[in-house]
């Protein structure tokens, strides 16, 4: 599939959709500067992108320091598995504290996204969940609560509905209400622009 597949939003920074490199047709690397520290990243599957059946996008993390050190030793870099997004869960928030002491403080951080079979990723998600559950107060450190996820989803839907409502019309003998595809494309452009300028606007209550 041509065009960007995924989006990454570091806390307080613009949306990133273009990978820095693509080691393969199903894996992408995003190098994110840490000159401006950020605590979390949000990873999303962009609208209109549909992963192949039984596939999910696994998310990985490493610092450029780790990658460079591994390359100097002729070893493959170690990427930490953060989680995954896929059908039914098109976005997720991960805590990485980039730019703080020891976490990309000497350069960039690398986020890897790889399309992998769900059957291979699900056990790793279960293992990750078990580890977090065993840490006091750490059960949801890297994942948004269902309440927060619902709030974000409602605000995205509300934003789209308010914009597209003025473009609706009727078609066919039954008078079915429709919205032109061009109107949706225009909404996405405006929505993406606003996310770039103010990534936190979806967290606010809007009338």
């Amino acid at each position: 599939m041509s065009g960007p597949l995924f989006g990454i939003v570091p806390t307080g920074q613009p949306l990133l959709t273009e990978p820095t490199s693509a080691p393969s047709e199903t894996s992408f690397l995003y190098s994110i500067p840490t000159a401006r520290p950020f605590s979390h990243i949000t990873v999303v599957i962009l609208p209109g992108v549909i992963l192949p059946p039984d596939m999910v996008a696994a998310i990985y993390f490493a610092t450029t320091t780790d990658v460079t050190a591994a390359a100097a030793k002729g070893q493959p870099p170690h990427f930490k598995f953060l989680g995954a997004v896929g059908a039914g869960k098109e976005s997720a928030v991960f805590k990485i504290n980039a730019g703080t002491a020891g976490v990309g403080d000497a350069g960039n951080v690398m986020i890897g996204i790889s399309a992998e079979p769900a059957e291979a990723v699900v056990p790793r998600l279960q293992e990750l969940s078990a580890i977090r559950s065993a840490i006091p107060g750490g059960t949801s450190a890297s994942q948004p609560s269902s309440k927060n996820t619902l709030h974000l989803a409602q605000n995205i839907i509300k934003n789209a509905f308010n914009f597209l409502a003025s473009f609706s019309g009727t078609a066919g003998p039954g008078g079915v209400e429709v919205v032109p595809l061009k109107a949706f494309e225009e909404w996405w452009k405006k929505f993406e622009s606003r996310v770039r300028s103010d990534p936190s606007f979806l967290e606010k209550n809007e009338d």
Side-chain angles (χ1 to χ4, degrees):
M1 181 180 294
S2 61
L5 303 180
F6 308 100
I8 299 177
V9 183
T11 305
Q13 297 190 30
L15 171 70
L16 305 174
T17 58
E18 294 294 340
T20 306
S21 63
S24 72
E25 293 183 355
T26 59
S27 61
F28 309 90
L29 289 175
Y30 301 79
S31 179
I32 307 176
T34 59
R36 181 180 176 185
F38 53 91
S39 58
H40 295 72
I41 59 167
T42 300
V43 179
V44 301
I45 299 176
L46 294 177
V49 174
I50 301 176
L51 296 179
D54 303 321
M55 298 288 285
V56 298
I59 316 300
Y60 299 90
F61 164 80
T63 66
T64 51
T65 301
D66 293 337
V67 173
T68 302
K73 298 177 181 178
Q75 301 175 349
H78 173 69
F79 276 79
K80 178 183 178 181
F81 176 67
L82 296 179
V85 293
K89 185 185 178 184
E90 286 75 15
S91 66
V93 179
F94 304 101
K95 183 177 182 180
I96 60 175
N97 290 328
T100 59
V103 185
D105 52 346
N108 298 0
V109 294
M110 302 293 293
I111 300 299
I113 302 181
S114 174
E116 302 177 11
E119 62 180 10
V121 177
V122 169
R124 300 175 69 186
L125 289 172
Q126 294 172 337
E127 180 181 356
L128 197 60
S129 178
I131 293 174
R132 288 173 181 156
S133 297
I135 301 174
T139 56
S140 59
S142 299
Q143 299 291 341
S145 68
S146 58
K147 181 178 180 180
N148 289 340
T149 301
L150 178 61
H151 177 71
L152 288 173
Q154 288 174 333
N155 279 350
I156 292 174
I157 294 171
K158 184 189 298 183
N159 185 280
F161 179 83
N162 290 341
F163 181 85
L164 297 174
S166 61
F167 293 90
S168 65
T170 57
V176 178
E177 191 169 7
V178 297
V179 174
L181 178 60
K182 185 176 181 180
F184 177 81
E185 293 173 344
E186 182 65 21
W187 167 77
W188 172 244
K189 290 179 182 178
K190 291 181 179 293
F191 180 80
E192 183 179 32
S193 176
R194 188 168 182 187
V195 170
R196 287 179 184 276
S197 61
D198 181 16
S200 65
F201 88 94
L202 284 173
E203 300 173 6
K204 305 171 184 176
N205 288 315
E206 297 187 344
D207 297 328

